[in-house]
Amino acid sequence: MILRCIECGREYPINEVRYRCDCGDLLEVVHDIERLKKRVSCRLFDERLAKREFPYNSGVWRYKELILDIENKFIISRPEGNTNLYQSDKVGEYVGIEDIWLKHEGENPTASFKDRGMSCAISVAKMLGFKKVACASTGNTSASMASYADLAGMESIVFIPEEKIAFGKLAQALAYGAKTIQIKGDFDDAMKLVQKVCQEFRVYLLNSINPFRIEGQKAICFEVLQQLDWQVPDWFILPGGNLGNNTALSKGLRELYQIGMINRIPRMAVIQAQGANPLYTMWKERTPFEAVKAETIATAVKIGNPVSWKKSIRGIEWSRGVVEQVTDQEIMDAKAFVDASGIGAEPASCCSIAGARKLTKAGIIDKKERVVAILTGNLLKDPDAVVNYHLDRLKGIKSTYANKPIMIESSLKAVRKVLE
Ligand SMILES: *Cc1c(COP(=O)(O)O)cnc(C)c1O
């Protein structure tokens, strides 16, 4: 394993503390594929699935050789992963695809997929001897980091944007004891600041610019494939914010393909909120990447200057993937269906479902194809968005599928009227 610059190819040892190449571009972990061919197989991972022993009881570290082959004593695990893969007729009908599967990453320990990458990157922090960790966050990264830092006995510092972040996420950061610093500015400003902070002080940066975050998040697609008995779906579809997660999925799939564990490449569909769509614009218009000022109800993807855009677009091209955008209205309507199916997810997650519907209507995804949609975060992360939708109080959004509470007299007669 080494760190390699995605642009100039310069290499650095795995235990060197750095987030960028000297040329300024991003780094990625490069595994020894020939060695992995001899060491891993579907059978090995299936055998581990039956075990309860640390660290293979984790849905990340079960695939340890493919993620990060470090000594077990450094591993900080809750354990994460092992999330359900659902089927829902209700969502399937809404999207227009029968064979759609919902991978619920909101079922992770701190209720978002961030736990997978966090487990991996904080284990590296421990290996490197750090006592303090930091991130910029729209909420879920800070919730995850704060929890894992507690487990590791480290201090955590989170930088959050000035505007309101979702209540559930703020609650978690405060509860887990993170030093929570709200800055005057948006997420993109916070992201710039935290990179400077981690250059200046001995604090380890845990945003997805950190290449080990990406390694941990690859486990989402490993776990999905294992749940599907290693049958490769036609599509993976997921929201895009800072663009770490789709980068991770295509990297994981590429490595499985190179190792020979899969013989077909699923296509990646990345869905952005229309108000935070720099990757979509770049992909659609074939223009150079240009940051935007982000605005969307889906706060987890309210990011105008995504750090991993270059890695992301390369992964999408490799998988013959697509990028789509959806409006806040489409997000909230899709969310109403995901929620009412009994599964539930936070707004950003429902980009996956709104996007799947749009791409199916456009004929880009065929009705007969097998689609895996990633639900990135839990329903309870953003209770304001839910309640305000059902009370028809969201500015600029129609509550098409509202389930309004009913006020009545406290009498059987009044109840009868409502039930009949
Ligand atoms: C972080 C996050 C995203 C965006 O993922 P990126 O890797 O930043 O593209 C989407 N949904 C939820 C719930 C998240 O927490």
Side-chain angles (χ1 to χ4, degrees), residues 51-77:
K51 290 185 183 163
R52 294 198 190 94
E53 94 194 67
F54 173 90
Y56 302 133
N57 57 349
S58 156
V60 170
W61 298 101
R62 179 176 311 128
Y63 315 99
K64 189 178 172 204
E65 294 83 352
L66 299 175
I67 305 273
L68 191 69
D69 213 356
I70 57 173
E71 284 182 67
N72 285 351
K73 67 178 184 195
F74 296 125
I75 292 178
I76 310 289
S77 170

mmCIF file of all heavy atoms in Angstrom, residues 51-77:
data_model
loop_
_atom_site.group_PDB
_atom_site.id
_atom_site.type_symbol
_atom_site.label_atom_id
_atom_site.label_comp_id
_atom_site.label_asym_id
_atom_site.label_seq_id
_atom_site.Cartn_x
_atom_site.Cartn_y
_atom_site.Cartn_z
ATOM 1 N N LYS A 51 -18.778 -15.111 11.449
ATOM 2 C CA LYS A 51 -17.998 -14.950 12.687
ATOM 3 C C LYS A 51 -18.413 -13.702 13.447
ATOM 4 O O LYS A 51 -18.851 -12.729 12.870
ATOM 5 C CB LYS A 51 -16.504 -14.843 12.344
ATOM 6 C CG LYS A 51 -15.926 -16.133 11.845
ATOM 7 C CD LYS A 51 -14.432 -15.986 11.641
ATOM 8 C CE LYS A 51 -13.867 -17.277 11.056
ATOM 9 N NZ LYS A 51 -12.548 -17.079 10.471
ATOM 10 N N ARG A 52 -18.229 -13.778 14.779
ATOM 11 C CA ARG A 52 -18.543 -12.592 15.583
ATOM 12 C C ARG A 52 -17.277 -11.894 16.074
ATOM 13 O O ARG A 52 -17.337 -10.962 16.820
ATOM 14 C CB ARG A 52 -19.405 -12.991 16.778
ATOM 15 C CG ARG A 52 -20.759 -13.485 16.371
ATOM 16 C CD ARG A 52 -21.736 -13.469 17.526
ATOM 17 N NE ARG A 52 -22.950 -14.180 17.146
ATOM 18 C CZ ARG A 52 -23.152 -15.465 17.399
ATOM 19 N NH1 ARG A 52 -22.273 -16.152 18.067
ATOM 20 N NH2 ARG A 52 -24.266 -16.046 17.002
ATOM 21 N N GLU A 53 -16.138 -12.387 15.660
ATOM 22 C CA GLU A 53 -14.900 -11.894 16.260
ATOM 23 C C GLU A 53 -14.446 -10.557 15.672
ATOM 24 O O GLU A 53 -14.635 -10.283 14.480
ATOM 25 C CB GLU A 53 -13.804 -12.962 16.134
ATOM 26 C CG GLU A 53 -12.928 -12.790 14.919
ATOM 27 C CD GLU A 53 -12.078 -14.013 14.616
ATOM 28 O OE1 GLU A 53 -12.641 -15.050 14.249
ATOM 29 O OE2 GLU A 53 -10.851 -13.893 14.720
ATOM 30 N N PHE A 54 -13.866 -9.726 16.536
ATOM 31 C CA PHE A 54 -13.278 -8.455 16.149
ATOM 32 C C PHE A 54 -12.076 -8.696 15.247
ATOM 33 O O PHE A 54 -11.298 -9.605 15.556
ATOM 34 C CB PHE A 54 -12.855 -7.707 17.428
ATOM 35 C CG PHE A 54 -12.086 -6.454 17.188
ATOM 36 C CD1 PHE A 54 -12.754 -5.238 17.054
ATOM 37 C CD2 PHE A 54 -10.692 -6.466 17.080
ATOM 38 C CE1 PHE A 54 -12.043 -4.064 16.833
ATOM 39 C CE2 PHE A 54 -9.985 -5.287 16.844
ATOM 40 C CZ PHE A 54 -10.657 -4.099 16.723
ATOM 41 N N PRO A 55 -11.831 -7.944 14.219
ATOM 42 C CA PRO A 55 -12.654 -6.860 13.698
ATOM 43 C C PRO A 55 -13.595 -7.294 12.569
ATOM 44 O O PRO A 55 -14.214 -6.462 11.934
ATOM 45 C CB PRO A 55 -11.599 -5.888 13.152
ATOM 46 C CG PRO A 55 -10.545 -6.798 12.583
ATOM 47 C CD PRO A 55 -10.542 -8.029 13.463
ATOM 48 N N TYR A 56 -13.689 -8.630 12.348
ATOM 49 C CA TYR A 56 -14.473 -9.089 11.179
ATOM 50 C C TYR A 56 -15.981 -8.968 11.389
ATOM 51 O O TYR A 56 -16.761 -9.203 10.480
ATOM 52 C CB TYR A 56 -14.095 -10.529 10.818
ATOM 53 C CG TYR A 56 -12.621 -10.698 10.523
ATOM 54 C CD1 TYR A 56 -11.888 -11.733 11.085
ATOM 55 C CD2 TYR A 56 -11.963 -9.806 9.670
ATOM 56 C CE1 TYR A 56 -10.531 -11.872 10.820
ATOM 57 C CE2 TYR A 56 -10.609 -9.937 9.408
ATOM 58 C CZ TYR A 56 -9.899 -10.962 9.990
ATOM 59 O OH TYR A 56 -8.562 -11.103 9.726
ATOM 60 N N ASN A 57 -16.392 -8.623 12.610
ATOM 61 C CA ASN A 57 -17.811 -8.375 12.868
ATOM 62 C C ASN A 57 -18.246 -7.020 12.312
ATOM 63 O O ASN A 57 -19.419 -6.676 12.320
ATOM 64 C CB ASN A 57 -18.098 -8.438 14.376
ATOM 65 C CG ASN A 57 -17.248 -7.455 15.173
ATOM 66 O OD1 ASN A 57 -16.313 -6.867 14.650
ATOM 67 N ND2 ASN A 57 -17.585 -7.280 16.433
ATOM 68 N N SER A 58 -17.300 -6.236 11.840
ATOM 69 C CA SER A 58 -17.604 -4.935 11.235
ATOM 70 C C SER A 58 -17.840 -5.109 9.738
ATOM 71 O O SER A 58 -17.162 -5.897 9.078
ATOM 72 C CB SER A 58 -16.416 -3.996 11.461
ATOM 73 O OG SER A 58 -16.386 -2.977 10.482
ATOM 74 N N GLY A 59 -18.790 -4.350 9.209
ATOM 75 C CA GLY A 59 -19.051 -4.373 7.766
ATOM 76 C C GLY A 59 -18.008 -3.611 6.962
ATOM 77 O O GLY A 59 -18.120 -3.495 5.742
ATOM 78 N N VAL A 60 -17.018 -3.081 7.655
ATOM 79 C CA VAL A 60 -15.869 -2.474 6.974
ATOM 80 C C VAL A 60 -14.663 -3.419 7.066
ATOM 81 O O VAL A 60 -14.074 -3.814 6.060
ATOM 82 C CB VAL A 60 -15.503 -1.110 7.604
ATOM 83 C CG1 VAL A 60 -14.166 -0.597 7.067
ATOM 84 C CG2 VAL A 60 -16.613 -0.098 7.322
ATOM 85 N N TRP A 61 -14.369 -3.831 8.296
ATOM 86 C CA TRP A 61 -13.120 -4.576 8.523
ATOM 87 C C TRP A 61 -13.227 -6.042 8.127
ATOM 88 O O TRP A 61 -12.226 -6.760 8.089
ATOM 89 C CB TRP A 61 -12.673 -4.402 9.974
ATOM 90 C CG TRP A 61 -12.394 -2.957 10.256
ATOM 91 C CD1 TRP A 61 -13.207 -2.068 10.895
ATOM 92 C CD2 TRP A 61 -11.242 -2.195 9.838
ATOM 93 N NE1 TRP A 61 -12.638 -0.815 10.922
ATOM 94 C CE2 TRP A 61 -11.426 -0.869 10.278
ATOM 95 C CE3 TRP A 61 -10.069 -2.515 9.131
ATOM 96 C CZ2 TRP A 61 -10.490 0.144 10.037
ATOM 97 C CZ3 TRP A 61 -9.138 -1.518 8.900
ATOM 98 C CH2 TRP A 61 -9.351 -0.211 9.355
ATOM 99 N N ARG A 62 -14.441 -6.514 7.826
ATOM 100 C CA ARG A 62 -14.584 -7.841 7.232
ATOM 101 C C ARG A 62 -13.759 -7.923 5.949
ATOM 102 O O ARG A 62 -13.240 -8.975 5.592
ATOM 103 C CB ARG A 62 -16.066 -8.101 6.908
ATOM 104 C CG ARG A 62 -16.329 -9.454 6.260
ATOM 105 C CD ARG A 62 -17.823 -9.696 6.052
ATOM 106 N NE ARG A 62 -18.514 -9.413 7.290
ATOM 107 C CZ ARG A 62 -19.569 -8.596 7.395
ATOM 108 N NH1 ARG A 62 -20.072 -8.019 6.340
ATOM 109 N NH2 ARG A 62 -20.117 -8.381 8.558
ATOM 110 N N TYR A 63 -13.644 -6.781 5.291
ATOM 111 C CA TYR A 63 -12.925 -6.727 4.002
ATOM 112 C C TYR A 63 -11.549 -6.097 4.195
ATOM 113 O O TYR A 63 -11.053 -5.386 3.324
ATOM 114 C CB TYR A 63 -13.755 -5.930 2.994
ATOM 115 C CG TYR A 63 -15.215 -6.298 2.993
ATOM 116 C CD1 TYR A 63 -16.152 -5.527 3.682
ATOM 117 C CD2 TYR A 63 -15.649 -7.445 2.336
ATOM 118 C CE1 TYR A 63 -17.490 -5.886 3.708
ATOM 119 C CE2 TYR A 63 -16.993 -7.811 2.361
ATOM 120 C CZ TYR A 63 -17.901 -7.026 3.055
ATOM 121 O OH TYR A 63 -19.223 -7.382 3.078
ATOM 122 N N LYS A 64 -10.980 -6.326 5.351
ATOM 123 C CA LYS A 64 -9.781 -5.621 5.792
ATOM 124 C C LYS A 64 -8.683 -5.517 4.719
ATOM 125 O O LYS A 64 -8.124 -4.450 4.493
ATOM 126 C CB LYS A 64 -9.243 -6.335 7.028
ATOM 127 C CG LYS A 64 -8.134 -5.613 7.714
ATOM 128 C CD LYS A 64 -7.699 -6.373 8.967
ATOM 129 C CE LYS A 64 -6.445 -5.696 9.481
ATOM 130 N NZ LYS A 64 -5.621 -6.576 10.287
ATOM 131 N N GLU A 65 -8.377 -6.629 4.069
ATOM 132 C CA GLU A 65 -7.290 -6.618 3.083
ATOM 133 C C GLU A 65 -7.571 -5.627 1.957
ATOM 134 O O GLU A 65 -6.652 -5.061 1.372
ATOM 135 C CB GLU A 65 -7.087 -8.013 2.475
ATOM 136 C CG GLU A 65 -6.592 -9.061 3.460
ATOM 137 C CD GLU A 65 -7.710 -9.692 4.295
ATOM 138 O OE1 GLU A 65 -8.855 -9.213 4.225
ATOM 139 O OE2 GLU A 65 -7.413 -10.660 5.018
ATOM 140 N N LEU A 66 -8.862 -5.454 1.624
ATOM 141 C CA LEU A 66 -9.231 -4.557 0.522
ATOM 142 C C LEU A 66 -9.316 -3.100 0.976
ATOM 143 O O LEU A 66 -9.385 -2.186 0.162
ATOM 144 C CB LEU A 66 -10.607 -4.945 -0.044
ATOM 145 C CG LEU A 66 -10.755 -6.342 -0.649
ATOM 146 C CD1 LEU A 66 -12.199 -6.587 -1.049
ATOM 147 C CD2 LEU A 66 -9.851 -6.466 -1.878
ATOM 148 N N ILE A 67 -9.345 -2.906 2.297
ATOM 149 C CA ILE A 67 -9.550 -1.564 2.845
ATOM 150 C C ILE A 67 -8.214 -0.997 3.316
ATOM 151 O O ILE A 67 -7.696 -0.034 2.738
ATOM 152 C CB ILE A 67 -10.535 -1.615 4.046
ATOM 153 C CG1 ILE A 67 -11.842 -2.295 3.632
ATOM 154 C CG2 ILE A 67 -10.730 -0.237 4.665
ATOM 155 C CD1 ILE A 67 -12.896 -1.449 3.029
ATOM 156 N N LEU A 68 -7.687 -1.621 4.360
ATOM 157 C CA LEU A 68 -6.455 -1.113 4.946
ATOM 158 C C LEU A 68 -5.885 -2.208 5.839
ATOM 159 O O LEU A 68 -6.482 -2.545 6.852
ATOM 160 C CB LEU A 68 -6.775 0.124 5.786
ATOM 161 C CG LEU A 68 -5.587 0.941 6.256
ATOM 162 C CD1 LEU A 68 -4.919 1.633 5.080
ATOM 163 C CD2 LEU A 68 -6.049 1.981 7.269
ATOM 164 N N ASP A 69 -4.738 -2.737 5.429
ATOM 165 C CA ASP A 69 -4.190 -3.871 6.148
ATOM 166 C C ASP A 69 -3.288 -3.380 7.268
ATOM 167 O O ASP A 69 -2.073 -3.403 7.154
ATOM 168 C CB ASP A 69 -3.429 -4.761 5.161
ATOM 169 C CG ASP A 69 -3.543 -6.213 5.563
ATOM 170 O OD1 ASP A 69 -4.127 -6.482 6.626
ATOM 171 O OD2 ASP A 69 -3.045 -7.071 4.808
ATOM 172 N N ILE A 70 -3.893 -2.922 8.377
ATOM 173 C CA ILE A 70 -3.095 -2.453 9.506
ATOM 174 C C ILE A 70 -3.262 -3.419 10.678
ATOM 175 O O ILE A 70 -4.158 -4.261 10.679
ATOM 176 C CB ILE A 70 -3.481 -1.023 9.959
ATOM 177 C CG1 ILE A 70 -4.961 -0.935 10.334
ATOM 178 C CG2 ILE A 70 -3.132 -0.008 8.890
ATOM 179 C CD1 ILE A 70 -5.365 0.388 10.949
ATOM 180 N N GLU A 71 -2.422 -3.254 11.684
ATOM 181 C CA GLU A 71 -2.513 -4.126 12.869
ATOM 182 C C GLU A 71 -3.843 -3.898 13.576
ATOM 183 O O GLU A 71 -4.293 -2.766 13.722
ATOM 184 C CB GLU A 71 -1.377 -3.803 13.844
ATOM 185 C CG GLU A 71 -0.027 -4.343 13.427
ATOM 186 C CD GLU A 71 1.021 -4.011 14.484
ATOM 187 O OE1 GLU A 71 0.927 -4.558 15.601
ATOM 188 O OE2 GLU A 71 1.900 -3.193 14.196
ATOM 189 N N ASN A 72 -4.442 -4.980 14.042
ATOM 190 C CA ASN A 72 -5.751 -4.890 14.699
ATOM 191 C C ASN A 72 -5.755 -3.949 15.908
ATOM 192 O O ASN A 72 -6.782 -3.361 16.227
ATOM 193 C CB ASN A 72 -6.229 -6.271 15.137
ATOM 194 C CG ASN A 72 -6.715 -7.097 13.949
ATOM 195 O OD1 ASN A 72 -6.851 -6.569 12.842
ATOM 196 N ND2 ASN A 72 -6.961 -8.369 14.172
ATOM 197 N N LYS A 73 -4.613 -3.812 16.565
ATOM 198 C CA LYS A 73 -4.588 -2.988 17.788
ATOM 199 C C LYS A 73 -4.882 -1.512 17.493
ATOM 200 O O LYS A 73 -5.240 -0.766 18.394
ATOM 201 C CB LYS A 73 -3.247 -3.132 18.509
ATOM 202 C CG LYS A 73 -2.076 -2.549 17.752
ATOM 203 C CD LYS A 73 -0.771 -2.672 18.553
ATOM 204 C CE LYS A 73 0.352 -1.996 17.788
ATOM 205 N NZ LYS A 73 1.680 -2.338 18.251
ATOM 206 N N PHE A 74 -4.750 -1.087 16.254
ATOM 207 C CA PHE A 74 -5.036 0.305 15.914
ATOM 208 C C PHE A 74 -6.511 0.527 15.541
ATOM 209 O O PHE A 74 -6.968 1.658 15.445
ATOM 210 C CB PHE A 74 -4.167 0.767 14.737
ATOM 211 C CG PHE A 74 -2.699 0.775 15.041
ATOM 212 C CD1 PHE A 74 -1.810 0.073 14.244
ATOM 213 C CD2 PHE A 74 -2.207 1.484 16.136
ATOM 214 C CE1 PHE A 74 -0.447 0.072 14.520
ATOM 215 C CE2 PHE A 74 -0.854 1.496 16.422
ATOM 216 C CZ PHE A 74 0.028 0.783 15.612
ATOM 217 N N ILE A 75 -7.228 -0.552 15.292
ATOM 218 C CA ILE A 75 -8.567 -0.412 14.707
ATOM 219 C C ILE A 75 -9.589 0.093 15.723
ATOM 220 O O ILE A 75 -9.739 -0.476 16.802
ATOM 221 C CB ILE A 75 -9.029 -1.751 14.088
ATOM 222 C CG1 ILE A 75 -8.159 -2.062 12.866
ATOM 223 C CG2 ILE A 75 -10.511 -1.692 13.700
ATOM 224 C CD1 ILE A 75 -8.467 -3.379 12.187
ATOM 225 N N ILE A 76 -10.273 1.179 15.371
ATOM 226 C CA ILE A 76 -11.361 1.737 16.170
ATOM 227 C C ILE A 76 -12.662 1.419 15.428
ATOM 228 O O ILE A 76 -12.897 1.919 14.338
ATOM 229 C CB ILE A 76 -11.238 3.273 16.305
ATOM 230 C CG1 ILE A 76 -9.836 3.690 16.755
ATOM 231 C CG2 ILE A 76 -12.322 3.817 17.233
ATOM 232 C CD1 ILE A 76 -9.503 3.351 18.190
ATOM 233 N N SER A 77 -13.480 0.567 16.041
ATOM 234 C CA SER A 77 -14.674 0.086 15.344
ATOM 235 C C SER A 77 -15.822 -0.033 16.329
ATOM 236 O O SER A 77 -15.624 -0.465 17.467
ATOM 237 C CB SER A 77 -14.356 -1.279 14.714
ATOM 238 O OG SER A 77 -15.520 -1.894 14.232
#
